[in-house]
Amino acid sequence: MSEQAPSEQERLVRIPITGMTCANCATAIAKSLSSLSGVRDVNVVLTADEAQVRADASVSLADIARRVEDSGYGVGTVSADFAVLGMTCANCVRAVERALGKIEGVLDVTVNLASERARVTFIPTLISLPEIKQAVVAAGYGVLREEEEAETSTLEQAQELEVRRQRRRLVVAALFAVPVALLTMPMDLGLMTDFPGRMWLVALLTTPVMAYSARGFFVGAYEALRNRSPNMDVLIATGTGVAYVYSLLSLLWLHGAMYFEAAAVIVTLVILGKYLEAGARRQASGAIRGLLAMQPQTARVLVDGELVERPVSALQLGDVIVAGAGERIAVDGIVLEGTSAVDESMLTGESVPVVKEPGGTVFGGTVNGPKLLRLRATGVGQDTMLAQIVRLVAQAQGSKAPVQRLADKAAGVFVPVVLALSALTFAGWLVLGGDLDRAVVYAVAVVVVSCPCALGLATPVAITAGTGRGAQMGILIRGGEVLERAGRVNTIVLDKTGTVTEGKPQVVGIWTADGTSESEVLRYASLAESVSRHPLANAVVGAAAARGIQPALPQEYEEIAGQGVVARHNGDEVLVGSWPLLAGRGVDAESNAAAPIEANIFVGLDQRLLGALIVSDVVRPNAAQAVSQLKRQGLQVVLLSGDKRVIADEVGRVIGADRVLAEVLPQGKVAEVKRLQDEGRVVTMVGDGINDAPALAQADLGIAVGSGTAVAMEAADITLLSSDLLAVPRSIALARRTLRTIYQNLFWAFFYNVILIPAAFLGFLQPIWAAGAMALSSLFVVGNALRLQRWHPK
């Protein structure tokens, strides 16, 4: 089910966070923000580097940002500088500042009258620079579009800067740590002769590693301890700091063992792991970047008969857009002129281009084929299908699976427990063994080998990779809770019309009562159905048109849900629909005795039966294959239909359904799903129409096919952008594979810590090997999740 939307008194904001390294960082930020008055709920997403805060309208973004910074972390903001035209006095300055200051996401505004420039600091996940400039225009001032430059940095660019920072730290650490290792390890193995001043040289080479590369750990540790939320930085800073300081003391006064190489190599290995992990995490979240890259930056607009190139941000509803051959379409729209094949694979995952004709719908980001198209914009900016997909994927990647609660609880107490174990290790080896050097080494090993990162990354990185892979395949999974429910389902209900069938029924037979012609039956049937938009009505009107019958418009019209229509024309009452509709209006119950059993639309005139129509829908070519795959996944397949039993049974036989529920009215779909649940079944409902939305919501797992309505897509847990029924078993398989990856990651994270912390405690693990193992654990978790990006259904 979808997450609860904020009320009118609340709002949900996404704040990019910098400086997080492990689950304890996320816990510290969540705890700090939760204590802010007016904040209702906080979800800090480590893999997305952001906090999702649900708060009262009275809570300002500045308060939230300040609380994040007070916790020792940064807010991923962007500063932009641009020209403002038309200002003449200080009041103009205040007007511009007031207009920009009211925008959600803008943290700071400075406008300079002398230079006619404005500098704005804003949060890129909430507002963009083009939108900020538009607010200036709305306030009555001008901007220069050509000065819209690289300040439109997004969170992706902020993350890239973080990767570069880690790379610089790694290069410095490696440049000094390698000579340190070469000057110490061969000596320990007896492969090198000692020389005067060797350890002084080692100490000198280690110092830049600790002063520059390790500085971030010490700063982070200080901030974490100041906020009483110790994190991974505390562990690394404690381990390397103790090794370095103890070595200095030994060099200057104690004349004991020295572990400079341990401090330098540990810092280098940890930063190497963080650098590789940061790159892998960006790769895992690459689905949104890939989708956004599909959006063109400009479009050609037809203005007064001439083509004008405009930025996409300046397009408006109703603009006439021209898409040339091979170009990406900039907006959602309706084709006005031209016929072309459009590649929609970036949305649906289907490689076969779709033919678009006048009246057809196209989507922004898709690629036009060999012919020019002229279209009218029906969706621009945040209202396009592409923007909706990006929002859904971002929402999913920011969600948590219920299984993560165990990891969150463990991570919350992890660091204090490890520090206590390290102290116990030091005391135990010192008291029992009487060896200060050994006590220090083993205590450092306990601290360094511990890895809360693997626990914190296990679930979110898998959700990020799995939902990202789904987006590439045209499968939108709403979040972690959906994944868990997908792992439990054992029954799948397929709505027949529009899901199992093409949704384009046709009249395949006409039966006439005594004294009535087929043309007369079609004439009255099409008269009643001429104003209806139901697929069956379209089939009736189409059959009449094929015979040259032009129906008159009824003078009165009433549509009865699930039964048919009642129309009045020239004093006659025309009934078209199911037999219960006609019988309820006084048509003789025996008059349909000769009607074929397949007849599903009856036509009556003034309590007299004129005849009946046999309307059939075409079963999708791959429906039987999809049902076969669902059965192999261990699901019982149930076909749900409003058609007569004989028709529904035939469709069920063709596709191989285990069970058929026929003659179910739209309002009865929820009851049928609930009845299955009362039998102890965990039910998935697959549908596409407005009347499917309640059943999608009632089911344990709702799947909306892409040919369906926005209402159905909003009620569903999984949205399929393609009408290909094979996408249904693919979505179940992907959800289950992602859930399995989560369990694998959690097992590895717990197993790693359960095995290696006691090993370090007992003295079986040296600090350097502990650092390597710690870095490897996080990389293993991330790497295991990244396998989802290469997943293909079997």
Side-chain angles (χ1 to χ4, degrees):
M1 314 302 169
S2 60
E3 293 184 8
Q4 182 182 358
S7 67
E8 294 181 357
Q9 292 77 32
E10 298 178 356
R11 72 191 196 283
L12 179 65
V13 294
R14 295 169 49 225
I15 308 295
I17 308 292
T18 61
M20 290 193 297
T21 58
C22 67
N24 288 91
C25 300
T27 302
I29 295 172
K31 184 188 301 182
S32 179
L33 290 176
S34 297
S35 65
L36 187 63
S37 178
V39 170
R40 303 298 183 186
D41 184 56
V42 179
N43 181 25
V44 180
V45 187
L46 179 62
T47 53
D49 292 322
E50 73 174 26
Q52 299 171 354
V53 183
R54 192 187 302 274
D56 292 341
S58 60
V59 180
S60 69
L61 282 173
D63 291 335
I64 296 174
R66 193 177 304 112
R67 185 58 64 92
V68 171
E69 290 169 351
D70 289 343
S71 300
Y73 302 90
V75 175
T77 60
V78 173
S79 294
D81 187 274
F82 59 92
V84 178
L85 307 179
M87 294 188 299
T88 59
C89 65
N91 283 336
C92 297
V93 171
R94 284 195 294 271
V96 175
E97 289 181 341
R98 189 162 51 246
L100 295 179
K102 293 189 298 185
I103 300 175
E104 180 84 347
V106 172
L107 296 180
D108 185 62
V109 182
T110 302
V111 179
N112 189 307
L113 180 62
S115 63
E116 293 186 285
R117 301 193 71 80
R119 184 168 184 81
V120 183
T121 300
F122 61 97
I123 299 175
T125 54
L126 300 179
I127 192 72
S128 67
L129 183 57
E131 291 171 313
I132 291 173
K133 288 187 173 183
Q134 187 58 42
V136 174
V137 174
Y141 301 89
V143 296
L144 295 176
R145 295 188 184 279
E146 60 267 25
E147 293 196 14
E148 191 171 310
E149 301 180 64
E151 286 86 350
T152 53
S153 300
T154 61
L155 182 60
E156 174 197 353
Q157 291 170 305
Q159 290 175 330
E160 178 61 29
L161 291 175
E162 177 66 16
V163 171
R164 293 176 184 174
R165 187 177 71 89
Q166 294 284 11
R167 185 186 301 130
R168 288 195 299 270
R169 294 175 64 195
L170 175 61
V171 169
V172 171
L175 283 175
F176 290 96
V178 170
V180 167
L182 293 177
L183 286 170
T184 54
M185 292 183 180
M187 187 71 187
D188 295 338
L189 297 174
L191 302 177
M192 174 180 167
T193 304
D194 198 5
F195 58 88
R198 180 177 64 89
M199 293 311 299
W200 287 96
L201 178 60
V202 169
L204 184 65
L205 291 172
T206 304
T207 300
V209 178
M210 303 303 295
Y212 176 76
S213 297
R215 181 176 180 274
F217 297 130
F218 290 99
V219 173
Y222 168 76
E223 296 292 350
L225 292 174
R226 187 170 66 87
N227 290 283
R228 299 178 181 177
S229 295
N231 59 9
M232 179 192 160
D233 286 340
V234 174
L235 298 180
I236 302 303
T238 300
T240 58
V242 167
Y244 178 73
V245 171
Y246 180 77
S247 298
L248 280 180
L249 293 175
S250 293
L251 180 64
L252 296 173
W253 296 295
L254 301 179
H255 305 295
M258 287 170 276
Y259 304 102
F260 289 113
E261 79 281 3
V265 173
I266 287 172
V267 169
T268 304
L269 288 175
V270 173
I271 295 177
L272 173 62
K274 288 298 166 191
Y275 170 67
L276 295 175
E277 179 187 311
R281 283 164 56 186
R282 286 190 70 250
Q283 183 180 346
S285 60
I288 293 180
R289 295 195 302 274
L291 289 171
L292 290 174
M294 302 294 183
Q295 177 67 58
Q297 299 302 307
T298 61
R300 289 181 294 165
V301 184
L302 194 63
V303 181
D304 298 329
E306 296 185 1
L307 285 179
V308 178
E309 188 163 333
R310 290 180 177 173
V312 170
S313 60
L315 299 180
Q316 298 180 347
L317 295 178
D319 283 349
V320 177
I321 311 296
V322 175
E327 293 181 352
R328 285 200 180 274
I329 299 172
V331 297
D332 292 358
I334 300 295
V335 177
L336 300 177
E337 296 180 22
T339 299
S340 185
V342 176
D343 180 2
E344 297 183 343
S345 59
M346 52 80 64
L347 288 178
T348 65
E350 299 299 324
S351 58
V352 179
V354 181
V355 176
K356 302 293 182 179
E357 300 175 329
T361 302
V362 295
F363 301 103
T366 57
V367 181
N368 185 26
K371 303 292 184 179
L372 182 142
L373 290 177
R374 185 174 296 177
L375 53 102
R376 186 176 304 280
T378 59
V380 298
Q382 295 301 307
D383 295 325
T384 63
M385 174 67 79
L386 180 60
Q388 181 184 3
I389 292 171
V390 169
R391 285 195 298 271
L392 285 172
V393 175
Q395 177 185 356
Q397 294 185 343
S399 68
K400 286 186 178 182
V403 70
Q404 190 179 349
R405 294 172 189 151
L406 176 62
D408 288 344
K409 290 180 180 179
V413 299
F414 189 88
V415 175
V417 169
V418 168
L419 291 174
L421 283 175
S422 178
L424 182 61
T425 302
F426 176 80
W429 282 98
L430 184 61
V431 172
L432 298 179
D435 188 336
L436 178 61
D437 292 340
R438 184 173 295 182
V440 170
V441 169
Y442 294 155
V444 168
V446 169
V447 171
V448 172
V449 79
S450 308
C451 188
C453 299
L455 283 174
L457 288 170
T459 296
V461 76
I463 292 176
T464 298
T467 53
R469 177 59 180 145
Q472 294 171 345
M473 299 171 62
I475 300 169
L476 303 183
I477 302 173
R478 282 193 176 269
E481 187 178 349
V482 173
L483 297 172
E484 290 212 10
R485 291 202 300 272
R488 298 196 311 267
V489 294
N490 53 32
T491 302
I492 187 163
V493 178
L494 303 175
D495 181 62
K496 184 183 78 68
T497 304
T499 303
V500 173
T501 62
E502 297 282 359
K504 299 177 181 178
Q506 299 176 346
V507 176
V508 296
I510 303 175
W511 171 80
T512 61
D514 293 340
T516 308
S517 67
E518 291 186 357
S519 296
E520 188 177 7
V521 171
L522 275 178
R523 182 164 60 85
Y524 280 106
S526 60
L527 179 151
E529 299 281 23
S530 59
V531 294
S532 174
R533 294 188 177 183
H534 194 281
L536 294 180
N538 294 335
V540 172
V541 174
R547 297 199 179 199
I549 300 172
Q550 297 297 326
L553 291 177
Q555 295 162 343
E556 296 182 37
Y557 171 85
E558 179 185 3
E559 189 164 335
I560 302 174
Q563 295 191 48
V565 298
V566 178
R568 291 176 180 82
H569 186 72
N570 293 334
D572 294 324
E573 183 179 72
V574 182
L575 307 171
V576 179
S578 65
W579 177 251
L581 172 67
L582 274 68
R585 296 276 177 157
V587 177
D588 184 10
E590 297 182 0
S591 61
N592 73 330
I597 193 172
E598 297 88 357
N600 50 359
I601 295 182
F602 293 85
V603 183
L605 178 66
D606 294 332
Q607 298 184 342
R608 180 171 65 91
L609 181 64
L610 297 181
L613 305 174
I614 302 172
V615 180
S616 178
D617 198 355
V618 179
V619 176
R620 295 186 186 275
N622 53 17
Q625 182 182 356
V627 169
S628 176
Q629 291 184 10
L630 290 169
K631 287 183 174 181
R632 287 201 298 269
Q633 291 175 347
L635 300 175
Q636 183 186 69
V637 180
V638 178
L639 179 68
L640 181 65
S641 173
D643 286 336
K644 295 176 65 174
R645 167 63 61 181
V646 63
I647 296 175
D649 283 344
E650 176 61 19
V651 174
R653 184 193 64 79
V654 170
I655 66 173
D658 298 303
R659 186 172 173 181
V660 177
L661 302 175
E663 301 179 27
V664 179
L665 297 178
Q667 59 268 30
K669 292 183 179 181
V670 172
E672 292 296 339
V673 171
K674 192 172 186 308
R675 187 174 294 113
L676 290 169
Q677 291 172 324
D678 290 341
E679 295 175 6
R681 299 186 175 277
V682 183
V683 180
T684 296
M685 173 71 192
V686 183
D688 73 327
I690 291 178
N691 56 19
D692 294 329
L696 291 172
Q698 172 64 40
D700 299 283
L701 186 72
I703 300 178
V705 298
S707 60
T709 65
V711 176
M713 293 172 69
E714 189 63 30
D717 300 302
I718 297 177
T719 298
L720 308 179
L721 300 178
S722 168
S723 296
D724 184 0
L725 204 59
L726 287 173
V728 176
R730 286 190 204 123
S731 66
I732 298 292
L734 176 60
R736 289 180 171 179
R737 180 61 179 267
T738 304
L739 183 62
R740 186 161 63 248
T741 300
I742 290 173
Y743 285 135
Q744 289 171 349
N745 282 355
L746 286 173
F747 170 80
W748 169 256
F750 279 107
F751 178 80
Y752 163 86
N753 285 295
V754 167
I755 295 299
L756 292 187
I757 291 178
F761 178 82
L762 295 173
F764 296 125
L765 203 60
Q766 291 294 318
I768 291 178
W769 296 111
M774 187 275 290
L776 183 62
S777 68
S778 291
L779 292 177
F780 179 90
V781 165
V782 175
N784 188 44
L786 287 179
R787 293 192 305 152
L788 288 167
Q789 294 189 320
R790 299 185 298 274
W791 178 82
H792 291 281
K794 295 180 180 179

